[in-house]
Amino acid sequence: MKTTSRTAKPASRRKRPQAAPALERVHLVREHEHLGEKLAAGTAITVHPAIATWLRAVGTVLPQTTTKKD
């Protein structure tokens, strides 16, 4: 009679999703529509880092990040 050993299978390891990047708070240098609302120059908005980069490239926000949102 042949016996087989029953070894415990390793627990299934699922990859955890990556954490979302920290949002950036930027200040508008000219009027801009954000989430369907017209915002005046000087208004601070919180956006994804990729959006902040794009807004800087088109001259809509100040060139530096004012704060990182926690």
Side-chain angles (χ1 to χ4, degrees):
M1 176 186 235
K2 195 178 209 183
T3 60
T4 59
S5 63
R6 291 188 167 221
T7 58
K9 291 184 180 180
S12 173
R13 301 217 177 211
R14 292 185 182 181
K15 290 184 179 179
R16 291 186 179 189
Q18 289 183 346
L23 297 178
E24 294 184 26
R25 189 166 184 86
V26 294
H27 287 273
L28 301 173
V29 293
R30 62 179 185 203
E31 186 178 88
H32 176 72
E33 186 173 329
H34 178 68
L35 298 175
E37 181 182 348
K38 290 248 184 202
L39 302 173
T43 304
I45 59 174
T46 304
V47 295
H48 186 277
I51 299 300
T53 300
W54 174 75
L55 289 169
R56 282 186 206 98
V58 297
T60 303
V61 298
L62 293 174
Q64 74 278 0
T65 300
T66 55
T67 59
K68 293 266 186 177
K69 179 129 175 125
D70 295 329

